[in-house]
């Protein structure tokens, strides 16, 4: 999810914290079939650094998609996920990479549709009550409107890559509640934000399951490594550039998403 317009004054309110750890490497195995990585900034690796020439899409060499490709040497790898993407962007600009011979598809999408970038802005700059209300608004949208949008994307994936294994990676909890942070957002705000992650997981997992796709729960993948946890934080707090705030860092992609993806994605030998 891309944070589009958080005011610079945010830095005075929230302590900036970023963790930049080197991703684990893996020895390449026998070449797998074609792999296509779709989605938003959580899929592109925004927040994990090393974006090469990907411009505003911020496709990171440390992203879970690139790490899986490095380890499994697919016969073709189309990395088209892009920071800020919503479901309509996937349909307009990304699904064209899918072909009948695609064997693995990964996707993280839906957070921007529900407006969680704006949620984080409002919660950082507003009161507890306004944060709770904005989260409730986003949750209502996710329950009522997001299923149809996800169905449109998933239908297109199924039609274009009918033989592919499709892995849908969900969003993590941002915060460890009652954790080690002494500054920053209130516990009320942190709980409201985590509640929105729960609603997203509920909606996305249900729609993925309806299509026979594999759902990876980001909450489980990042458990013990949220902001305010006692372990290494696998998510950035407020950082600069501002659009990398509240995104997985390199350690989150390697230890969280990539590890979880590797446990379920079964490369077929080309």
């Amino acid at each position: 999810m891309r944070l589009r317009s958080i005011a610079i004054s945010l830095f005075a309110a929230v302590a900036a914290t970023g963790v930049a750890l080197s991703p684990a490497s893996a020895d390449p195995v026998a070449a797998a079939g074609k792999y296509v990585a779709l989605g938003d900034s959580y899929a592109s690796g925004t927040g994990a650094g090393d974006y090469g020439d990907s411009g505003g899409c911020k496709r990171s060499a440390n992203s879970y998609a690139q790490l899986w490709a490095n380890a499994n040497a697919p016969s073709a790898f189309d990395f088209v996920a892009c920071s800020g993407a919503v479901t309509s962007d996937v349909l307009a600009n990304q699904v064209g990479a899918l072909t009948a011979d695609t064997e693995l598809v990964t996707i993280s999408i839906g957070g921007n549709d529900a407006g969680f970038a704006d949620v984080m802005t409002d919660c950082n700059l507003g009161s507890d009550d306004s944060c709770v209300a904005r989260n409730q608004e986003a949750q209502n949208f996710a329950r009522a409107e997001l299923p149809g949008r996800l169905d449109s994307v998933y239908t297109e994936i199924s039609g274009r890559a009918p033989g592919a294994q499709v892995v849908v990676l969900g969003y993590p909890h941002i915060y460890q509640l009652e954790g080690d942070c002494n500054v920053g957002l209130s516990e009320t705000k942190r709980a409201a934000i985590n509640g929105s992650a729960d609603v997203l997981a509920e909606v996305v997992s249900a729609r993925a399951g309806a299509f026979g796709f594999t759902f990876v729960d980001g909450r489980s993948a990042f458990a013990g490594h949220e902001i305010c946890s006692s372990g290494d934080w696998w998510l950035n707090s407020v950082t600069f550039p501002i659009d990398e705030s509240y995104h997985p860092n390199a350690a989150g992609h390697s230890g969280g998403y990539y590890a979880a993806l590797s446990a379920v994605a079964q490369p077929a030998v080309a």
Side-chain angles (χ1 to χ4, degrees):
M1 293 177 284
R2 183 176 62 181
L3 301 182
R4 298 182 178 86
S5 59
I6 301 181
I8 296 300
S9 60
L10 175 59
F11 288 96
V14 184
T17 302
V19 182
L21 302 179
S22 299
S25 61
D27 294 330
V29 298
K34 181 178 177 181
Y35 169 34
V36 178
L38 310 171
D40 59 19
S41 56
Y42 271 63
S44 71
T46 301
D50 198 0
Y51 306 117
D53 60 357
S54 63
C57 284
K58 289 196 168 182
R59 299 184 186 108
S60 174
N62 301 313
S63 67
Y64 68 77
Q66 188 64 61
L67 295 176
W68 196 94
N70 293 347
N72 294 281
S75 58
F77 174 43
D78 285 342
F79 190 7
V80 293
C82 189
S83 182
V86 295
T87 50
S88 61
D89 294 318
V90 174
L91 293 171
N93 304 318
Q94 297 185 20
V95 296
L98 299 169
T99 52
D101 63 341
T102 302
E103 293 187 350
L104 175 65
V105 179
T106 58
I107 183 168
S108 303
I109 200 68
N112 287 328
D113 291 78
F116 284 102
D118 294 335
V119 165
M120 297 307 300
T121 302
D122 291 349
C123 286
N124 274 283
L125 300 177
S127 66
D128 282 4
D129 287 346
S130 66
C131 175
V132 170
R134 185 65 185 85
N135 273 278
Q136 188 61 58
E137 179 183 345
Q139 292 169 23
N140 291 342
F141 181 95
R143 291 191 175 103
E145 303 295 334
L146 187 57
R149 296 189 182 197
L150 293 174
D151 284 358
S152 295
V153 172
Y154 296 164
T155 296
E156 195 72 14
I157 293 173
S158 295
R160 289 174 178 262
Q165 179 187 14
V166 181
V167 181
V168 179
L169 294 96
Y171 302 98
H173 280 150
I174 300 296
Y175 292 99
Q176 171 66 56
L177 299 182
E178 299 182 0
D180 292 342
C181 294
N182 295 317
V183 297
L185 300 188
S186 69
E187 196 73 1
T188 296
K189 290 180 177 181
R190 293 170 186 165
I193 292 164
N194 279 5
S196 292
D198 290 334
V199 172
L200 269 181
E202 168 194 323
V203 171
V204 174
S205 64
R207 300 321 307 151
F211 282 79
F213 298 165
T214 301
F215 177 71
V216 169
D217 194 333
R219 299 169 300 175
S220 299
F222 281 71
H225 296 278
E226 306 90 343
I227 296 172
C228 299
S229 66
S230 57
D232 293 334
W233 294 5
W234 286 355
L235 296 128
N236 298 323
S237 184
V238 180
T239 189
F240 187 83
I242 201 69
D243 63 348
E244 298 185 12
S245 303
Y246 305 114
H247 285 75
N249 55 37
H253 276 272
S254 61
Y257 277 140
Y258 170 64
L261 175 61
S262 295
V264 299
Q266 303 298 322
V269 176

